[in-house]
Amino acid sequence: VQLQASGGGLVQAGGSLRLSCAASGRIFRINTMGWYRQAPGKQRELVAGITSGGSTNYAESVKGRFTISRDNAKNTVYLQMNTLKPEDTALYYCNADVSSVGSLVGFSLYWGQGTQVTVSS
């Protein structure tokens, strides 16, 4: 199973970006998918998560500005980021709780490679 994240870039404060993360491989089922971020010198933190049923949760710092969604048919999770602030600058990682075809261990957590988001003031 592989996760491929894309959509990062450089944007001015107040602007928007949309991140995508597609899971591929011998996937039987995906449970929760999410986005995390890590700024230089800081710990990785949860940005948003979404269950297979569509329930979502967000970090307080992004509520009202970011929206997480997913397309289960495409095994893809999205993060729409609006009204971006310089403090949103970080490397953004996606993850997914995946049950692989033929797996005997149930669900395993996989991570994408990260996509850089830089917000200039």
Side-chain angles (χ1 to χ4, degrees):
V1 176
Q2 293 183 330
L3 272 64
Q4 181 68 43
S6 61
L10 173 63
V11 65
Q12 288 188 333
S16 298
L17 284 174
R18 189 189 192 214
L19 306 183
S20 299
C21 176
S24 61
R26 292 173 56 81
I27 297 170
F28 175 66
R29 181 180 172 185
I30 301 178
N31 193 5
T32 301
M33 304 182 83
W35 289 96
Y36 284 70
R37 67 186 181 187
Q38 186 167 19
K42 295 187 177 181
Q43 290 189 332
R44 190 175 297 190
E45 63 175 358
L46 172 70
V47 176
I50 184 168
T51 68
S52 57
S55 297
T56 59
N57 65 293
Y58 295 93
E60 284 296 325
S61 60
V62 306
K63 281 184 179 178
R65 300 188 297 123
F66 291 10
T67 302
I68 189 170
S69 61
R70 64 190 283 174
D71 184 332
N72 291 328
K74 295 181 179 180
N75 292 330
T76 299
V77 62
Y78 306 96
L79 186 68
Q80 178 66 44
M81 305 185 294
N82 298 328
T83 318
L84 282 160
K85 304 176 181 180
E87 50 264 43
D88 295 318
T89 295
L91 192 60
Y92 283 69
Y93 297 90
C94 58
N95 72 2
D97 197 23
V98 180
S99 175
S100 301
V101 174
S103 172
L104 301 178
V105 298
F107 287 87
S108 297
L109 188 64
Y110 293 87
W111 289 87
Q113 83 284 9
T115 184
Q116 180 67 40
V117 172
T118 303
V119 185
S120 63
S121 57

